[in-house]
Amino acid sequence: MAHQKAYGILVALVAAWCGLILVAPLLRSEQLLPTFSQSLYQFFSIICHQLDDRSFHLGGEKFAVCIRCSSIYFGFLIGALFQPLRRKRGAIPSVSLLFFASAPMVADVAMNLLGIRESDLFSRTFTGGLFGIILPSFIIPALSEAVGQFQRQLFTSGGLLNARKTK
């Protein structure tokens, strides 16, 4: 039960995060709450370069993060939503899957930085999305295990809840 609550909270937080990425350009394009919109852009600028030519646009305004970051976050949301459909929900996949998901993105960035090939809309969207979709397969089982351990700790004989009852 606690696992489901933790999963629900995680999905809600990721959905809110993705929502804020979309709210910033919508507010800016409609000239609503300009201070809040600007604050969102400033907040996301801590984690993303926000280059206009490397960003999706909504209402004529760029997203609060670039294409690759948007693809990672929205991919994560999609992966998290489909996580309950996995066959082995509690099992963390092999690290090779994480390598498989991140290698194309690392290669795309490296080739761009080295001047071998300029990354484009497709490569940024695909590589970021692939990485984002795979991440929940690692994070959600780890979160579930952490919640389970915390729960066991609370309810064991030496746990926090039992210690309070004896006082």
Side-chain angles (χ1 to χ4, degrees):
M1 186 63 118
H3 304 283
Q4 291 173 334
K5 285 182 183 178
Y7 168 76
I9 290 168
L10 176 70
V11 169
L13 289 172
V14 173
W17 182 269
C18 291
L20 291 174
I21 291 169
L22 300 175
V23 164
L26 285 174
L27 290 177
R28 184 180 273 178
S29 70
E30 296 297 322
Q31 298 177 354
L32 298 171
L33 303 170
T35 304
F36 181 62
S37 176
Q38 186 56 33
S39 296
L40 288 174
Y41 279 104
Q42 284 180 308
F43 170 75
F44 283 109
S45 73
I46 296 168
I47 56 172
C48 180
H49 56 70
Q50 300 176 321
L51 296 175
D52 191 63
D53 64 329
R54 291 185 176 207
S55 298
F56 291 123
H57 289 75
L58 186 61
E61 299 291 338
K62 67 182 177 183
F63 278 23
V65 294
C66 71
I67 292 169
R68 192 178 319 273
C69 289
S70 295
S71 298
I72 292 169
Y73 300 136
F74 284 93
F76 189 99
L77 179 58
I78 291 166
L81 290 171
F82 282 97
Q83 184 68 18
L85 301 177
R86 283 187 62 225
R87 252 188 222 164
K88 298 178 182 178
R89 281 182 281 202
I92 295 176
S94 167
V95 176
S96 61
L97 180 62
L98 190 59
F99 176 77
F100 167 77
S102 62
M105 184 171 58
V106 171
D108 188 46
V109 170
M111 287 190 297
N112 189 62
L113 289 174
L114 295 171
I116 297 170
R117 178 188 175 280
E118 187 172 337
S119 59
D120 55 20
L121 171 73
F122 175 78
S123 68
R124 292 179 192 128
T125 303
F126 176 76
T127 61
L130 177 64
F131 182 68
I133 286 172
I134 296 299
L135 272 181
S137 299
F138 291 88
I139 292 174
I140 291 173
L143 175 65
S144 181
E145 179 60 29
V147 167
Q149 285 182 10
F150 180 71
Q151 202 172 25
R152 285 189 293 279
Q153 192 71 12
L154 285 177
F155 295 106
T156 59
S157 60
L160 180 64
L161 291 180
N162 290 324
R164 284 185 180 168
K165 288 179 185 175
T166 60
K167 287 186 178 182

